[in-house]
Amino acid sequence: MFYIDVILPIPLKQTFTYSINKDEAGFLKQGHRVAVPFGKSKVYTAIVYQVHDQAPQGYKTKSIDQILDQTPIITPQQIKHWEWMASYYMSTLGEIIKAALPSAFLLESETIVSLCDNVSMDQAKFSDAAFLVVEALQQRSPLHINDVRAVLDSNQVVKVLKDLLDLGVIEVQEELFEQYTPKLKKYIKVGELYKDKQQLSELLESLTRAPKQKEIVLQLFNLQAQSKKAVGVTELQKACDAGPSSIKSLVKKGILKEFYLKKDRIDYQGGPDKTLMTLSNAQQKAYEQINTCFEKQDVVLLHGVTASGKTEIYIQLIEKQLSRGKQVLFMLPEIALTTQLISRLQFYFGKKIAVYHSKYSVNERVEVWNNVLNNEDKAQIVIGARSSLFLPYTNLGLIIVDESHEPSFKQYNPSPRYQARDSAIVLAKIPQGNLLMGSATPSLESYHNADQGKYGLVSLQTRFSNIKMPTIELVDIKEKHKKKMMTGHFSDRLLEEIKISLTNNEQIILFQNRRGFSPIVECKTCGNSPQCPNCDVSLTYHKYKNQLRCHYCGHNTPMQMSCMACGLETLDSKGFGTEQIENELLELFPNHTIARMDQDTTKGKHAYKKLIDRLENLEIDILIGTQMLAKGLDFRNVGLVGVMNADNLLNFPDFRAHERSFQLLLQVAGRAGRTQERGRVLIQTYNPYHTILQQVSVNGYKQMYEVQKQERYEFKYPPFYRTIKITFKDRDLQKVEFGSQWFATALKKYLQENVLGPEAPPVSRIRNLYITSVLVKIPKAQSLKKTKTYIGSVQRSFNVARQFSSIRVTVDVDNY
């Protein structure tokens, strides 16, 4: 007897054993997908972990339903990487597989209902709903469970089906449905009868009275002569300006024949490869230093100021890897950044590029997965967000993590809660590849590792073509308000610079890190503010929809005309978001084109691209946006960047608030003056003497690093201590407080003063779940593995306690 251990896409730590026959044992390998029964009636897609002949102890194995692949779709390298991720991030392999595989690979079982044969039916025993189901099955059997729901016009079908099952009238089964459907393109060719010259000349003679059809046949031969490729139907229609009816009539006569070929949904029409751009002296020096570092170290940090030409260095490194026959992964923090980068890389590398991120459809992601697995020419360079880590690379030589400081590389929900930058370092090491991190403002942890010699460090401190860094000016809006020099939320200084830029035909970017019209609506009489019923936050006013919205749970309600508490019509908005800035600008500059880039305006698949294209084509004069603007976008005609209010970034309750503020402000500032003219940056603030703002104004990354490093050392935070955050959620406030206190007390027995909390976060209730959290600090001298093991054992004890059964517990390793 032979057996396989499989991983199911469910959050359980163990593998499950199923029996297979000798032939299946000879065929199956690690990474194959198999359909297996699980529980009483469910069928799951499982991944083969290992094939063996050791029978499990204590239970009888089930046999598999079917094998779903001819060849494995997951490589041993992937399994090795996923095992590390599951272990390090205290997750399960099932959760990793659920996150990694496109959902089309995880075939789902669905219930099929059919009538039993030769059963006498006592209709008196049927309820009205049961009678309707039986009647429908007599008309058409079997029925999908969704059809049964439609018949009953209700989602509550389980009880009805159970009653009919008990009566022996129906039977149900689980069937697997393949979600991926390949895209087929229609092509046309001459029918088999007319391949001979004699018959062809007779055919053309017979079409004399049908000149349009004759032209179609001649045009088809002409296109085939020009290229040996198959001729598409649409291509033929365009060539002879013919409608589909003319071609269809030729197909009906057997003169032409239609056929279909599988076609990728994403097809980049890149031209031939171009000669690479010559690097400047500073870039060439940095490029050589990176290659030297790679000889000694696997990981290198490229600390290059904004607009220093890091992308051109990346292109040279990619070319070097391609010449060795290696694959390259280019990771970006945001989908928005892929738009510009694809066009730049396409210019050099033609059709060798594949793109992978969550805005692509399931079918598109499956095609990219298969192209990477098969090491196709069209997938030698993969550009993607953090999920691109999971692709089945077979020959990976280099990973580039651009804008490596970005918080977007961290996955917070759902599990696995991984940091893509750190996971990429492990991924690169598995095939002995290299990893390059690039950033103008590296994270404190990355720079500390480079400073300590753990990573290689290469600096690029001059902008491309020796363009000067933008001038950064701090505007004291507290003083401006006193002197009545503010127009709405604009200081006289910012308005003056906007007018100068518009006169010089320069584009302007304005940054405000809050979307909506205003974050708070308040009654001027009684001070009441509309709150979300599900979360402990005020509702944000969105003027364009005249709605109050919660940005945590999505709850929305029409804007109130009067106060819900006192009934008076004295509601006033406090604070401001991108939408309010847009409205003020439309009044101030009615003759100029103004656009907004935030979550509200970029919901569609190609919404980012449209906005970026409009800005590049000089169709937008002023662009207002949230932190999306700060992430590595290259705008050639932006002369002025304005930060509407820097203070809400600095006053955030997080140990990384100052570091993140510095990074965000410097990155936004870096969008200005990227060509010949020196850019200008104006930062409006109530506290221009704040240390971080002073450091931003002089581009002082090193000063910021030293100050923040000292603070982190004193208060025991990363990079000197690791942290694990344990979060508790429940609908009952007393239960969640008691449960988290019990958990913290158990941790303190072993970890003592390094356990902080339990403590409620700033927003302590979201979607009607109360939240508390415990923070575990782990010094470098303490074993990380043993600490995780202990936390895991406390969690298991917590989970089996009946009084805590409803509390949701999540463990987030490296929660920063």
Side-chain angles (χ1 to χ4, degrees), residues 730-740 770 804 807:
D730 195 87
R731 288 179 179 273
D732 186 326
L733 176 60
Q734 286 184 322
K735 187 185 280 189
V736 81
E737 284 179 345
F738 176 61
S740 57
Y770 291 96
F804 304 139
I807 300 176

Side-chain angles (χ1 to χ4, degrees), residues 464-742:
F464 188 69
S465 299
N466 291 319
I467 300 161
K468 290 183 180 178
M469 295 295 289
T471 57
I472 300 175
E473 182 182 333
L474 302 175
V475 179
D476 187 349
I477 49 177
K478 187 178 177 182
E479 191 68 28
K480 297 289 182 186
H481 273 294
K482 277 183 188 174
K483 294 179 178 177
K484 294 191 167 47
M485 299 171 79
M486 296 290 291
T487 306
H489 294 95
F490 291 87
S491 63
D492 61 328
R493 185 78 189 87
L494 182 54
L495 282 176
E496 181 190 333
E497 287 294 338
I498 289 173
K499 287 170 186 171
I500 292 168
S501 292
L502 291 173
T503 306
N504 294 338
N505 292 320
E506 291 176 336
Q507 291 170 302
I508 299 151
I509 283 177
L510 296 177
F511 171 73
Q512 170 60 14
N513 206 27
R514 273 190 180 148
R515 62 190 172 104
F517 189 83
S518 64
I520 299 170
V521 173
E522 187 180 82
C523 176
K524 288 192 282 188
T525 305
C526 68
N528 181 62
S529 176
Q531 300 289 308
C532 174
N534 310 317
C535 312
D536 282 345
V537 286
S538 300
L539 293 173
T540 301
Y541 176 39
H542 286 250
K543 192 174 181 181
Y544 79 108
K545 283 189 173 178
N546 199 34
Q547 270 184 352
L548 293 169
R549 294 185 68 86
C550 173
H551 289 174
Y552 286 87
C553 70
H555 169 81
N556 61 79
T557 181
M559 176 60 182
Q560 299 163 9
M561 299 302 293
S562 58
C563 175
M564 296 286 281
C566 67
L568 295 174
E569 295 183 9
T570 52
L571 290 174
D572 187 28
S573 58
K574 304 280 183 187
F576 62 101
T578 50
E579 198 184 338
Q580 192 171 155
I581 300 301
E582 183 182 29
N583 283 13
E584 288 182 13
L585 282 170
L586 288 167
E587 288 181 19
L588 290 165
F589 304 101
N591 300 322
H592 292 276
T593 309
I594 294 155
R596 179 161 52 97
M597 183 190 272
D598 57 27
Q599 248 183 307
D600 296 324
T601 61
T602 55
K603 284 180 179 172
K605 182 176 178 180
H606 301 293
Y608 290 116
K609 187 178 187 316
K610 287 173 186 172
L611 264 173
I612 290 164
D613 286 349
R614 283 180 65 202
L615 198 76
E616 285 182 334
N617 296 334
L618 309 183
E619 294 171 23
I620 295 171
D621 298 318
I622 307 174
L623 181 67
I624 312 122
T626 55
Q627 60 186 12
M628 290 178 184
L629 291 170
K631 300 186 179 180
L633 294 166
D634 184 19
F635 302 126
R636 312 305 294 172
N637 195 44
V638 173
L640 173 68
V641 167
V643 178
M644 299 306 298
N645 189 342
D647 303 307
N648 59 0
L649 297 170
L650 295 163
N651 303 326
F652 198 74
D654 178 30
F655 78 93
R656 298 193 76 165
H658 285 178
E659 179 197 354
R660 291 251 165 95
S661 301
F662 179 90
Q663 289 168 339
L664 201 52
L665 291 171
L666 209 61
Q667 289 287 342
V668 170
R671 302 313 109 206
R674 295 174 74 93
T675 46
Q676 297 307 312
E677 294 297 320
R678 190 176 188 183
R680 290 112 52 222
V681 180
L682 266 70
I683 300 174
Q684 296 191 152
T685 172
Y686 284 95
N687 184 9
Y689 302 106
H690 194 287
T691 308
I692 288 292
L693 296 180
Q694 290 293 322
Q695 289 164 352
V696 168
S697 67
V698 295
N699 197 26
Y701 177 84
K702 194 76 174 167
Q703 295 97 299
M704 184 278 296
Y705 167 73
E706 294 297 341
V707 172
Q708 291 301 308
K709 186 176 80 165
Q710 185 59 34
E711 284 186 11
R712 301 275 183 92
Y713 179 78
E714 287 174 13
F715 293 104
K716 299 180 179 178
Y717 277 104
F720 303 101
Y721 277 61
R722 292 184 182 276
T723 61
I724 297 176
K725 187 178 184 180
I726 304 152
T727 306
F728 306 85
K729 295 181 183 179
D730 195 87
R731 288 179 179 273
D732 186 326
L733 176 60
Q734 286 184 322
K735 187 185 280 189
V736 81
E737 284 179 345
F738 176 61
S740 57
Q741 189 63 58
W742 182 95

Side-chain angles (χ1 to χ4, degrees), residues 289-300:
Q289 284 177 334
I290 290 166
N291 284 317
T292 305
C293 287
F294 276 150
E295 290 172 12
K296 301 172 189 174
Q297 288 155 309
D298 298 327
V299 184
V300 174

Side-chain angles (χ1 to χ4, degrees), residues 456-469:
L457 177 62
V458 176
S459 287
L460 184 59
Q461 296 303 313
T462 54
R463 280 187 148 192
F464 188 69
S465 299
N466 291 319
I467 300 161
K468 290 183 180 178
M469 295 295 289

